[in-house]
C-alpha cells in the first residue's frame, strides 16, 4: 500500500493517479466488514416484537420463533416472570424452555442453570412445586458434553439437594445414582456421582449411608480412572463427617491409606490432604500407628522422588504438626521442626555455597515451586510458634523468621506481613525481639508488602510499645528506636506511588499514633505532614483521610500553643485559601472536628470561619456549606450561643436574598426548612438530648484535662528545678557547717511543696490532678483502632454519670462559683456537669489562673 502524501502542489500524472485510486479502493475494502455487520431491514423486521404482548406472551413468542440471543434473554428473565406470575410461567414458559434447552448452545445452558438456582433461592414457589417442575430438567443436563455446562448444572443440583425433603432426594436422586456410578457408565457420569454422594452424606442418617452409599463409595475409590479416584478421595472428608467417628475409622481410614499409596501422584496428594483435614476424627492410636508413618513417608519422598507433594506438604505442615503434637517423641518433634526449617529456605543460596540443589541450574518451574513452598512456610509460621512454644521462639525460629522477612520474593514477604500480627500476639511479652523485622517490612520496596502490614498496624504498634517487658509510659519507644523514621518513610513512598488506596489506608491507620508516641513527636513529624497532604495532594479520599487523622492529632495534642497554631493554619490556609478546593477541604475538616471535639470547641474556633464561606465566590463551596449548616446549628446552645445563632440566621437571610445560582438557591430553601424543624439544645440538662449531652460533656472533660495536664507539667518542671537548686545549696551548707545542717534541713522541708501542713490539701489535690492527667494520657486517650476517634457509646456515656463524682472533682475545682451554683440549684442529675458557658470561659481563663497559681507558689517558695 502506497502512503497518501499531500504536497503543496498536487501531481495528477497517470502513474500517481492510479496509485491514489488503489489506495481509495483499499480503504473501501476496510470499511466493508463494518457495513456487513449492520442489520438489514429483513433482519430488523424478524427481531421486532409486538409491543402490545404481555410478558408471558412475549416470552413464549421469543422462545418459539426468536433467535438464540432472544431466547437467552427470556431464560435470564425467568426469575422475574416467576415473581410476577408463577402459575402462568410454569404452565406456558417453562415447557418452552425445556424444549429449547435440548438444542441450546452453551450460553443459554449456563444462563438456565443460574436462573433455576435463583428461583430456588428466592422461594418463588414451594419446594414441592419446584422439585416437580425444575428437578427433572436439572437432572437431564448433568451429563452435558461441555464440562463447564455440566459443572453449572451440578452446582445447581447440589444447592437443590439441601432444600429438598429426604424422600424426594431418595427417590429422585439416590436411587438413580446406583446405576450412574457403575463402571459401565461414562467417566463424566461417575465424576458427577462422586460429587453427589459427598453432598448426600450429610442428608441421611448413618445407617442409610452405611447400607446404600458406602458400597458405592468403595467401588468408586477403586475405579480404573485416576480422575474418579481423586474426586472420590476428595469427597471422603464430607462422607466421614456424615457417618461419624466409628465408621470413619473402620471404612474411610483404610480407603485413605490405600489411596495414599496409589500409583497416581494426584490421588496420593488428595489422600494426604484428606488425612490432614480428618486428623481430629482419629484417636491417638490411629494417629501414631497409621497416620504418622504415612506422613513420615510423604516427607521422605517429597525431596527424593516426588516433589509434586512439596507444595501441599508445606501448606498443611502447621496443621499437621499441631494435630500430631501429642504423639511426637522429642526426636520426632525435632525432626519435623528441622524439616520445616529446610522448607523455609528451599531454593535459596546457602551461606557456605555447598548446597547440592544450587549446583544445577534451576528451571523456571522449580523456582516457582520453591517460591510457593516458602510462601506456605510463611503462612504456617504462627502455627509453628505454637508447635515449639513461644518461649523457645528466639532459639528455634527467629533465624527462620528473619529469612522469611528478608526473602527475595515479594509473595513470601507479603505473607509474612499478613501474619505479622498473629506472630506478635503469640510472642506477647517477647514481642520486642521482632521489632527490627517490623521496621524492615515498613521500609519494604514493594507497596504490596506495606499494604498487607498496614492492615493490623495499630494493633502491632500497641503490642510493640505496651506488650514488651521493657514497656512503660515514659519510655514507649526505647524498644523501637527506628519506628518513627520507618513510619515517615512508608508514608512518603506511598505518597509518591500511584496506589492511592494504600496511601489512604496508611493515613487512616496513622490515627493510632497518639497512643503510641508522644505529642511532641506527632507534632514535629506527622501533624504538619498531614496538613501538607491536604493542601497538595490531588486525590480526594487521601485528602479526607489526612484531614481526619490531623483532627485526631489535634484532639490529643497536649500543648495549647501548638493547638492554637494548627487551628490558625487550618483557618488561614484552608478556610481562607485562594483555591476553592482548599476551602472545600476546610468544610470536610470542620465535619471531622464536630465529630471529634465538643460543641464548645467548635463554636469557639470554627463557627464564624465557617459562616464566612456563605460569601464565597464559588457556587460549589456555598452549596457544600448549605449541606453542612444543620450540623453547624446542632453545635449551638441557648442562651450561651445566642449571638452565634443570630449570625447564622443573618447569613441564611443573605443567601436567600442574594443567591443567584439556581442550584444553590434550591439547596438553601431545602436547608431552611430543615433548620426550622431542628431543636436547639439548652444549657440546662434535658432528657431529649440526654445521650448527646453526655457525650459532649465527656469530650469537654477530656479537653479540660488536656489543659490541666499542660499546666501541671509546667508546674512540676518548675518545682523540680527549684528543688534541685535547694538541694545543691543544702549540700554546700553541709560541707561548711555540720552543726547547722539539721536546722537548714528542717527549714527547707517546710518550704518544699507538699510538706507544709497549711498547704498540704492544695498540693495533694494537684498531685491527684497530675496522676489523673497521666492516666488520661494512657486510658482516656486509648483508642480502639478501628474507631480510634469515636466518642464513647451509649453504655459508657450513661456510666459516666456514676463516675464523674469521683473522677471529675478536680475538674469541678476549676469552674467558677456562679456556674457551680447554677448547677447545684438545678436537677440532681446535673450537678456533675459544668455548664457550656463556664467550660468555654475555662479555655480563656485557665492561663490566667495558672499564672496566678505560679505567682502564689513562687511567693511560698521564697518565704
Amino acid at each position: 500500500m502506497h502512503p497518501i502524501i499531500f504536497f503543496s502542489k498536487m501531481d495528477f500524472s497517470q502513474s500517481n493517479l492510479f496509485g491514489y485510486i488503489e489506495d481509495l479502493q483499499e480503504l473501501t475494502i476496510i470499511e466493508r466488514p463494518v457495513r456487513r455487520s449492520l442489520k438489514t431491514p429483513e433482519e430488523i423486521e424478524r427481531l421486532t416484537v409486538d409491543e402490545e404482548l404481555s410478558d408471558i406472551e412475549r416470552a413464549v413468542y421469543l422462545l418459539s420463533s426468536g433467535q438464540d440471543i432472544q431466547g437467552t434473554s427470556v431464560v435470564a428473565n425467568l426469575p422475574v416472570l416467576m415473581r410476577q406470575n408463577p402459575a402462568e410461567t410454569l404452565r406456558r414458559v417453562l415447557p418452552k424452555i425445556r424444549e429449547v434447552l435440548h438444542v441450546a448452545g452453551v450460553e443459554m445452558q449456563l444462563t438456565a442453570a443460574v436462573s433455576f438456582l435463583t428461583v430456588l433461592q428466592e422461594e418463588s414457589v414451594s419446594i414441592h412445586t419446584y422439585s416437580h417442575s425444575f428437578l427433572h430438567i436439572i437432572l437431564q443436563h448433568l451429563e452435558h458434553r461441555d464440562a463447564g455446562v455440566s459443572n453449572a448444572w451440578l452446582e445447581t443440583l447440589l444447592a437443590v439437594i439441601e432444600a429438598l425433603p429426604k424422600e424426594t432426594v431418595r427417590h429422585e436422586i439416590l436411587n438413580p445414582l446406583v446405576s450412574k456410578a457403575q463402571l459401565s457408565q461414562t467417566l463424566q457420569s461417575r465424576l458427577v456421582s462422586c460429587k453427589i454422594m459427598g453432598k448426600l452424606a450429610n442428608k441421611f442418617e448413618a445407617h442409610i449411608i452405611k447400607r446404600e452409599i458406602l458400597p458405592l463409595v468403595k467401588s468408586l475409590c477403586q475405579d480404573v480412572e485416576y480422575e474418579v479416584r481423586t474426586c472420590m478421595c476428595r469427597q471422603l472428608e464430607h462422607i466421614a463427617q456424615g457417618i461419624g467417628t466409628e465408621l470413619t475409622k473402620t471404612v474411610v481410614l483404610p480407603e485413605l491409606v490405600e489411596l495414599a499409596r496409589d500409583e497416581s501422584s494426584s490421588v496420593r496428594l488428595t489422600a494426604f490432604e484428606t488425612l490432614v483435614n480428618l486428623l481430629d476424627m482419629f484417636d491417638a492410636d490411629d494417629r501414631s500407628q497409621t497416620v504418622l508413618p504415612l506422613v513420615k513417608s510423604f516427607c521422605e519422598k517429597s525431596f527424593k522422588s516426588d516433589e509434586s507433594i512439596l507444595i501441599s506438604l508445606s501448606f498443611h505442615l502447621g496443621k499437621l504438626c499441631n494435630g500430631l503434637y501429642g504423639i511426637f517423641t522429642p526426636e520426632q518433634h525435632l525432626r519435623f521442626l528441622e524439616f520445616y526449617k529446610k522448607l523455609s529456605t528451599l531454593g535459596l543460596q546457602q551461606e557456605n555455597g555447598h548446597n547440592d540443589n544450587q549446583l544445577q541450574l534451576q528451571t523456571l518451574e522449580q523456582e516457582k515451586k520453591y517460591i510457593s513452598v516458602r510462601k506456605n512456610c510463611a503462612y504456617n509460621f504462627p502455627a509453628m510458634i505454637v508447635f515449639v512454644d513461644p518461649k523457645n521462639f528466639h532459639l528455634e525460629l527467629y533465624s527462620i523468621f528473619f529469612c522469611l522477612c528478608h526473602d527475595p520474593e515479594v509473595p513470601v514477604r507479603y505473607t509474612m506481613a499478613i501474619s505479622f500480627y498473629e506472630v506478635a500476639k503469640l510472642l506477647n511479652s517477647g514481642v520486642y525481639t521482632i521489632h527490627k523485622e517490623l521496621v524492615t517490612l515498613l521500609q519494604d520496596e514493594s507497596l504490596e508488602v506495606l499494604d498487607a502490614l498496614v492492615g493490623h498496624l495499630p494493633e502491632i504498634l500497641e503490642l510493640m510499645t505496651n506488650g514488651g517487658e521493657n514497656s512503660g509510659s515514659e519510655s514507649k519507644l526505647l524498644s523501637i528506636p527506628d519506628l518513627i523514621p520507618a513510619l515517615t518513610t512508608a508514608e512518603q513512598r506511598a505518597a509518591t506511588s500511584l496506589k492511592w488506596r494504600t496511601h489512604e489506608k496508611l493515613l487512616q491507620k496513622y490515627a493510632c499514633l497518639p497512643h503510641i508516641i508522644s505529642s511532641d513527636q506527632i507534632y514535629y513529624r506527622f501533624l504538619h505532614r498531614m496538613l501538607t497532604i491536604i493542601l497538595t495532594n490531588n486525590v480526594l479520599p487521601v485528602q479526607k483521610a489526612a484531614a481526619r487523622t490531623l483532627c485526631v492529632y489535634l484532639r490529643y495534642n497536649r500543648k495549647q500553643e501548638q493547638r492554637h497554631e494548627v487551628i490558625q493554619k487550618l483557618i488561614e490556609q484552608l478556610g481562607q485559601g485562594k483555591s476553592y478546593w482548599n476551602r472545600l477541604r476546610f468544610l470536610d475538616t470542620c465535619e471531622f472536628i464536630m465529630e471529634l471535639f465538643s460543641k464548645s470547641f467548635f463554636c469557639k474556633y470554627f463557627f464564624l470561619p465557617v459562616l464566612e464561606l456563605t460569601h464565597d465566590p464559588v457556587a460549589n463551596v456555598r452549596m457544600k456549606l448549605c449541606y453542612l449548616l444543620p450540623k453547624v446549628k446542632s453545635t449551638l446552645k441557648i442562651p450561651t450561643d445566642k449571638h452565634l445563632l443570630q449570625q447564622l440566621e443573618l447569613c441564611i437571610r443573605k443567601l436567600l436574598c442574594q443567591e443567584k445560582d439556581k442550584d444553590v438557591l434550591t439547596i438553601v430553601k431545602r436547608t431552611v426548612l430543615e433548620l426550622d424543624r431542628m431543636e436547639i439544645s439548652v444549657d440546662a440538662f434535658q432528657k431529649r438530648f440526654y445521650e448527646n449531652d453526655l457525650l459532649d460533656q465527656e469530650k469537654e472533660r477530656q479537653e479540660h484535662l488536656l489543659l490541666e495536664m499542660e499546666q501541671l507539667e509546667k508546674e512540676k518542671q518548675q518545682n523540680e528545678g527549684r528543688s534541685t537548686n535547694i538541694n545543691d545549696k543544702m549540700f554546700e551548707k553541709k560541707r561548711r557547717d555540720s552543726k547547722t545542717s539539721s536546722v537548714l534541713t528542717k527549714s527547707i522541708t517546710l518550704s518544699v511543696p507538699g510538706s507544709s501542713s497549711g498547704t498540704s490539701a492544695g498540693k495533694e489535690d494537684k498531685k491527684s490532678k497530675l496522676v489523673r492527667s497521666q492516666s488520661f494520657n494512657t486510658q482516656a486517650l486509648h483508642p480502639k483502632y478501628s474507631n480510634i476517634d469515636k466518642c464513647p457509646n451509649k453504655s459508657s456515656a450513661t456510666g459516666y454519670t456514676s463516675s464523674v463524682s469521683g473522677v471529675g472533682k478536680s475538674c469541678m475545682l476549676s469552674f467558677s462559683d456562679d456556674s457551680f451554683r447554677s448547677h447545684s440549684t438545678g436537677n440532681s442529675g446535673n450537678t456533675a456537669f459544668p455548664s457550656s458557658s463556664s467550660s468555654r470561659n475555662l479555655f480563656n481563663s485557665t492561663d490566667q489562673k495558672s499564672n496566678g497559681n505560679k505567682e502564689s507558689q513562687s511567693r511560698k517558695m521564697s518565704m
Side-chain angles (χ1 to χ4, degrees):
M1 178 177 176
H2 302 286
I4 302 176
I5 304 175
F6 295 96
F7 297 95
S8 59
K9 186 176 181 180
M10 298 298 295
D11 184 8
F12 291 104
S13 62
Q14 188 174 5
S15 59
N16 286 335
L17 186 59
F18 284 140
Y20 295 146
I21 292 174
E22 291 176 0
D23 294 335
L24 292 175
Q25 286 177 348
E26 291 187 8
L27 288 174
T28 57
I29 293 173
I30 295 174
E31 291 182 356
R32 281 174 190 170
V34 179
R35 292 175 181 173
R36 288 174 182 172
S37 65
L38 298 177
K39 300 296 182 183
T40 63
E42 292 79 9
E43 290 174 331
I44 294 175
E45 181 66 24
R46 194 161 57 249
L47 291 171
T48 304
V49 182
D50 188 2
E51 295 181 358
E52 296 181 358
L53 295 176
S54 64
D55 292 340
I56 300 294
E57 292 173 345
R58 186 184 297 109
V60 173
Y61 173 77
L62 293 176
L63 289 170
S64 302
S65 59
Q67 295 188 359
D68 288 344
I69 189 171
Q70 292 174 319
T72 304
S73 176
V74 172
V75 174
N77 200 43
L78 180 63
V80 179
L81 297 176
M82 289 296 298
R83 288 195 297 267
Q84 294 175 352
N85 194 346
E88 285 296 310
T89 303
L90 293 176
R91 188 176 68 86
R92 300 182 61 185
V93 179
L94 193 60
K96 286 291 182 182
I97 292 177
R98 180 183 296 180
E99 295 176 5
V100 172
L101 284 178
H102 285 293
V103 294
V106 173
E107 186 176 356
M108 186 179 292
Q109 290 276 356
L110 295 175
T111 305
V114 174
S115 295
F116 283 22
L117 181 58
T118 305
V119 172
L120 173 70
Q121 293 172 345
E122 292 181 353
E123 300 179 355
S124 302
V125 293
S126 65
I127 191 63
H128 176 74
T129 305
Y130 185 90
S131 61
H132 178 73
S133 304
F134 292 88
L135 184 58
H136 292 287
I137 304 177
I138 297 172
L139 293 173
Q140 286 175 0
H141 297 89
L142 280 177
E143 299 178 25
H144 195 275
R145 60 183 179 273
D146 186 273
V149 173
S150 177
N151 289 330
W153 284 113
L154 179 61
E155 292 298 325
T156 302
L157 177 63
L158 296 179
V160 171
I161 288 175
E162 294 183 358
L164 290 176
K166 292 182 181 180
E167 290 302 319
T168 304
V169 173
R170 189 168 185 176
H171 291 291
E172 300 293 340
I173 299 174
L174 182 57
N175 293 339
L177 194 65
V178 177
S179 60
K180 294 289 184 181
Q182 301 301 321
L183 283 174
S184 57
Q185 297 293 324
T186 62
L187 173 63
Q188 190 169 353
S189 177
R190 303 202 300 275
L191 290 174
V192 169
S193 300
C194 293
K195 295 178 181 179
I196 292 176
M197 275 190 284
K199 178 64 69 173
L200 294 179
N202 295 319
K203 190 72 178 179
F204 296 103
E205 292 79 6
H207 66 278
I208 297 178
I209 297 174
K210 183 179 180 180
R211 186 176 67 249
E212 300 186 15
I213 295 180
L214 287 184
L216 296 176
V217 170
K218 290 182 178 181
S219 65
L220 290 172
C221 285
Q222 300 171 0
D223 197 276
V224 294
E225 299 291 340
Y226 77 93
E227 294 98 330
V228 179
R229 299 197 302 274
T230 302
C231 184
M232 194 65 249
C233 185
R234 192 170 288 113
Q235 300 301 319
L236 287 178
E237 180 182 351
H238 304 291
I239 293 172
Q241 294 173 354
I243 62 179
T245 305
E246 295 183 1
L247 284 176
T248 298
K249 181 179 180 179
T250 57
V251 178
V252 175
L253 185 57
E255 294 293 335
L256 280 175
V257 172
E258 186 175 353
L259 291 170
R261 297 165 181 163
D262 196 271
E263 59 184 10
S264 173
S265 60
S266 64
V267 178
R268 295 196 302 270
L269 183 60
T270 308
F272 170 74
E273 293 174 352
T274 305
L275 269 173
V276 175
N277 293 331
L278 291 177
L279 274 178
D280 295 337
M281 299 190 70
F282 302 138
D283 54 23
D285 293 337
D286 293 332
R287 294 180 188 179
S288 60
Q289 298 175 8
T290 306
V291 179
L292 184 58
L294 279 175
V295 172
K296 290 170 64 178
S297 66
F298 271 105
C299 295
E300 294 172 359
K301 292 179 181 179
S302 60
F303 281 106
K304 295 179 180 179
S305 60
D306 192 3
E307 287 189 353
S308 61
I309 202 174
L310 264 180
I311 297 177
S312 178
L313 184 60
S314 61
F315 181 77
H316 292 92
L317 190 60
K319 186 175 182 180
L320 192 62
C321 289
N322 286 281
L324 299 176
Y325 181 81
I327 64 171
F328 278 154
T329 62
E331 182 183 357
Q332 292 171 340
H333 187 281
L334 182 61
R335 183 180 301 173
F336 273 87
L337 180 59
E338 292 299 324
F339 181 71
Y340 172 76
K341 292 180 179 179
K342 189 175 182 180
L343 291 179
S344 300
T345 57
L346 187 64
L348 299 178
Q349 184 73 30
Q350 298 295 320
E351 293 181 1
N352 54 14
H354 295 293
N355 189 0
D356 295 335
N357 293 331
Q358 295 294 331
L359 296 178
Q360 301 176 353
L361 293 176
Q362 297 176 351
T363 63
L364 185 61
E365 292 184 4
Q366 280 181 324
E367 290 180 0
K368 290 181 179 179
K369 186 183 298 183
Y370 293 158
I371 292 172
S372 298
V373 169
R374 298 201 303 273
K375 179 183 176 182
N376 291 337
C377 289
Y379 166 77
N380 281 299
F381 196 86
M384 296 307 296
I385 292 179
V386 177
F387 181 63
V388 302
D389 196 308
K391 297 179 181 178
N392 301 323
F393 167 78
H394 195 271
L395 294 175
E396 301 290 349
L397 287 176
Y398 177 74
S399 59
I400 299 301
F401 183 76
F402 177 86
C403 292
L404 291 174
C405 288
H406 292 80
D407 195 276
E409 299 298 330
V410 173
V412 181
R413 303 198 304 273
Y414 175 84
T415 308
M416 286 304 298
I418 290 178
S419 60
F420 198 95
Y421 175 52
E422 296 296 329
V423 174
K425 282 198 302 184
L426 290 171
L427 294 181
N428 198 7
S429 60
V431 71
Y432 62 90
T433 58
I434 60 172
H435 70 273
K436 294 181 180 179
E437 285 68 34
L438 172 63
V439 174
T440 300
L441 293 176
L442 280 172
Q443 297 174 336
D444 196 277
E445 60 183 8
S446 173
L447 278 179
E448 295 179 5
V449 177
L450 179 61
D451 187 80
L453 184 66
V454 165
H456 289 286
L457 183 62
E459 294 87 349
I460 294 171
L461 293 179
E462 182 187 9
L463 289 171
M464 284 288 180
T465 54
N466 298 330
E469 295 177 354
N470 298 326
S471 63
S473 59
E474 296 181 356
S475 58
K476 289 182 178 180
L477 292 176
L478 291 180
S479 60
I480 320 177
D482 300 330
L483 176 63
I484 294 178
L487 290 173
T488 55
T489 303
E491 189 278 322
Q492 291 171 359
R493 290 190 61 254
T496 55
S497 69
L498 297 177
K499 297 181 179 180
W500 63 266
R501 288 182 177 85
T502 300
H503 193 199
E504 178 194 12
K505 183 179 179 181
L506 194 71
L507 295 176
Q508 291 172 348
K509 298 297 182 179
Y510 276 14
C512 72
L513 293 182
H515 181 59
I516 307 300
I517 59 181
S518 67
S519 177
D520 284 339
Q521 289 170 324
I522 290 176
Y523 176 77
Y524 290 111
R525 301 300 295 270
F526 295 98
L527 195 147
H528 291 286
R529 174 60 182 164
M530 296 300 156
L531 184 59
T532 304
I533 293 173
I534 301 172
L535 292 170
T536 60
N537 199 281
N538 297 324
V539 183
L540 179 58
V542 173
Q543 287 181 312
K544 287 189 174 182
R548 197 174 199 283
T549 303
L550 172 65
C551 292
V552 175
Y553 293 164
L554 181 63
R555 174 71 177 82
Y556 298 127
N557 188 281
R558 298 180 61 176
K559 292 187 177 179
Q560 190 173 8
E561 182 180 352
Q562 294 177 356
R563 288 197 298 273
H564 287 169
E565 179 188 348
V566 175
I567 291 170
Q568 192 68 21
K569 287 185 177 181
L570 287 175
I571 295 173
E572 291 178 355
Q573 299 182 21
L574 288 181
Q576 301 170 1
K578 295 181 180 180
S579 172
Y580 83 97
W581 191 255
N582 289 340
R583 300 196 294 275
L584 288 174
R585 299 294 73 78
F586 176 72
L587 294 176
D588 291 331
T589 307
C590 287
E591 281 196 80
F592 297 137
I593 288 173
M594 283 186 281
E595 176 189 347
L596 298 171
F597 290 82
S598 64
K599 296 178 181 180
S600 60
F601 183 90
F602 177 80
C603 290
K604 179 179 179 181
Y605 295 107
F606 292 96
F607 192 93
L608 294 178
V610 167
L611 292 187
E612 288 178 3
L613 294 179
T614 54
H615 308 290
D616 197 277
V618 179
N620 284 350
V621 178
R622 301 196 301 274
M623 187 181 301
K624 188 175 183 66
L625 174 63
C626 291
Y627 284 120
L628 192 63
L629 285 179
K631 289 185 178 180
V632 172
K633 186 179 179 180
S634 65
T635 62
L636 298 176
K637 289 185 178 181
I638 299 300
T640 306
D641 301 322
K642 188 175 181 180
H643 64 290
L644 296 179
L645 179 61
Q646 293 174 352
Q647 292 289 333
L648 176 63
E649 293 174 350
L650 180 61
C651 291
I652 293 174
R653 290 194 194 98
K654 289 183 179 180
L655 282 173
L656 285 172
C657 299
Q658 301 176 4
E659 184 59 52
K660 297 179 180 180
D661 189 279
K662 294 182 180 179
D663 296 331
V664 178
L665 187 59
T666 303
I667 296 171
V668 170
K669 293 179 180 178
R670 193 186 310 161
T671 305
V672 168
L673 296 176
E674 185 176 354
L675 292 173
D676 289 339
R677 290 192 297 265
M678 286 183 61
E679 296 182 5
I680 303 179
S681 59
V682 187
D683 284 341
F685 204 76
Q686 293 174 294
K687 292 183 179 180
R688 54 185 172 179
F689 301 116
Y690 181 77
E691 292 184 17
N692 293 332
D693 286 346
L694 284 178
L695 296 176
D696 189 62
Q697 294 286 356
E698 178 67 16
K699 293 177 184 177
E700 281 196 32
R701 185 182 70 86
Q702 294 181 0
E703 290 164 6
H704 300 336
L705 284 176
L706 284 172
L707 295 175
E708 292 181 10
M709 286 161 60
E710 181 182 4
Q711 181 61 31
L712 291 172
E713 287 175 358
K714 289 180 180 179
E715 293 178 2
K716 181 181 177 182
Q717 292 175 358
Q718 292 177 357
N719 292 336
E720 288 177 353
R722 290 173 181 173
S723 61
T724 303
N725 295 332
I726 293 173
N727 291 330
D728 292 340
K729 293 178 180 179
M730 287 174 57
F731 182 73
E732 292 295 330
K733 290 181 179 180
K734 283 182 179 180
R735 292 178 59 186
R736 294 175 184 174
D737 191 1
S738 59
K739 295 181 180 180
T740 58
S741 61
S742 59
V743 179
L744 290 173
T745 304
K746 292 180 181 180
S747 63
I748 291 171
T749 53
L750 288 174
S751 64
V752 172
S755 61
S756 176
S757 59
T759 60
S760 60
K763 300 303 179 180
E764 289 297 326
D765 181 45
K766 289 186 177 181
K767 285 183 180 180
S768 66
K769 284 185 180 181
L770 182 59
V771 172
R772 179 167 48 82
S773 64
Q774 291 174 348
S775 66
F776 173 64
N777 185 32
T778 57
Q779 297 178 4
L781 297 182
H782 187 289
K784 293 295 181 184
Y785 295 113
S786 58
N787 49 359
I788 175 175
D789 36 16
K790 290 186 179 178
C791 305
N793 56 18
K794 180 177 179 181
S795 60
S796 62
T798 54
Y800 170 67
T801 57
S802 61
S803 62
V804 158
S805 58
V807 179
K809 285 181 180 179
S810 59
C811 211
M812 294 290 293
L813 294 175
S814 61
F815 300 150
S816 62
D817 295 336
D818 296 335
S819 64
F820 185 80
R821 291 193 197 98
S822 63
H823 280 279
S824 62
T825 55
N827 297 331
S828 60
N830 305 341
T831 57
F833 302 109
S835 66
S836 177
S837 60
S838 61
S839 63
R840 290 179 199 174
N841 292 332
L842 183 61
F843 277 94
N844 299 324
S845 61
T846 303
D847 295 335
Q848 298 175 0
K849 292 182 179 180
S850 63
N851 294 331
N853 293 332
K854 290 179 185 178
E855 293 175 0
S856 62
Q857 286 184 359
S858 62
R859 290 171 185 168
K860 291 179 183 179
M861 293 293 295
S862 62
M863 291 175 63

